[in-house]
Amino acid sequence: MRDYYEILGVARDADADAIKKAYRKLALEHHPDRNNGSKAAEEKFKEATEAYEVLRDAEKRGAYDRYGHAGVKAGAGGGGGFNFAEALSIFMRDFGGFGVDDLFSDLRGRRGPSRSRGSDMRVRLPLTLDDVMSGTRKTIRMRVNEPCDTCSGTGAEPGSPPVVCETCGGAGEVRRVQRSILGQLVSVTPCPNCGGEGRRITRPCEPCEGRGVQVAERKLEVEVPPGVSTGDYLTLRGQGNAAPRGGMRGDVLVVLEVEDDERFIRDGAHLVHDLRVTFSQAALGAEVEVPTVGGSTRIRIAPGTQTGQLMRLRGKGLPELRGGGRGDLVVRVTVWTPTNMNAEQERVMRELGHVESPVPTQKEGEERGFWSRVKEAFGGA
């Protein structure tokens, strides 16, 4: 799948105006009605519209910049792109009205009434580090607006279909021509009688009160890629609220929340684990077990290990979100001091006190912050 910035021919730091200008140029160039109905042109028109619809939206663009197509096309309904009607609707939404009619005069007779779009929804999805490690498929249930079962979404009483609006003749819009010293100006506005729908309901459906939608539970499947973090989100296009009396469904924005794991401190794809060892293990050395996400591994504690010493286990962290390998696991050693010793332990410790070496003097500049040493460990790759 091609990069959206490449499709529109803009830089990754392009502003909203540049993106809109680039899309308009491509849409006008590849519209099928300007290319004798060419299927190849139609595909390019839809491709450009899909790229524009993501990059024009700050949230969708942020998700795409962070982890590519997976962020804007994951889950149910993802990956299918737009059909031509949807792409045309988006183009006319942002470029319809005065000026465009002159370029697409042949579309006047079949633009049709306007269709509303259902509202977007937001849902939070909790995840564990195990989910982050391997990616996961989750099922979420939420209450959304669905087309009314009684009227099939028309909003009209069964047997009493909507009638064509007598004001706009079903076009959904009214045109006003004004003459001035600058020439003839044509303005196009939604029909005030039907609200731009082109139809009027004479007998509203009772269960939905003429809205054409009713609240129902909807089950959605969400594909979560490996390496995500709290605050990342996935867009399920066309899975949100149904629009009143037809039109495009809204989207569902799935905001990810990775639960804290008491075993680790997370820093992007890297993990930090605090390992407590006994005095004898630190002094004499030992082989100990440390946890990893989804398992464990054994490491060697060198003789003379001090509290705060760091050991780096390459590739034992989390996967990078956009590929490129895995992070590391940094083990921070803490020498544990017993608090409740029995008589035998006290005796041995007192004997040790008579023969142990004194604590060496700390050298100037030797003490450093924990996180500076963690970053140094990570930076040593």
Side-chain angles (χ1 to χ4, degrees), residues 74-92:
F82 293 109
N83 59 41
F84 176 65
E86 291 171 330
L88 180 61
S89 174
I90 289 170
F91 178 80
M92 298 308 293

Side-chain angles (χ1 to χ4, degrees), residues 61-79:
R61 182 177 180 178
Y64 178 74
D65 287 343
R66 282 195 293 273
Y67 45 91
H69 295 285
V72 293
K73 293 203 168 184

Side-chain angles (χ1 to χ4, degrees), residues 155-176:
E157 187 75 23
S160 177
V163 298
V164 175
C165 175
E166 59 273 15
T167 301
C168 64
E173 61 186 24
V174 292
R175 296 170 179 266
R176 293 182 174 86

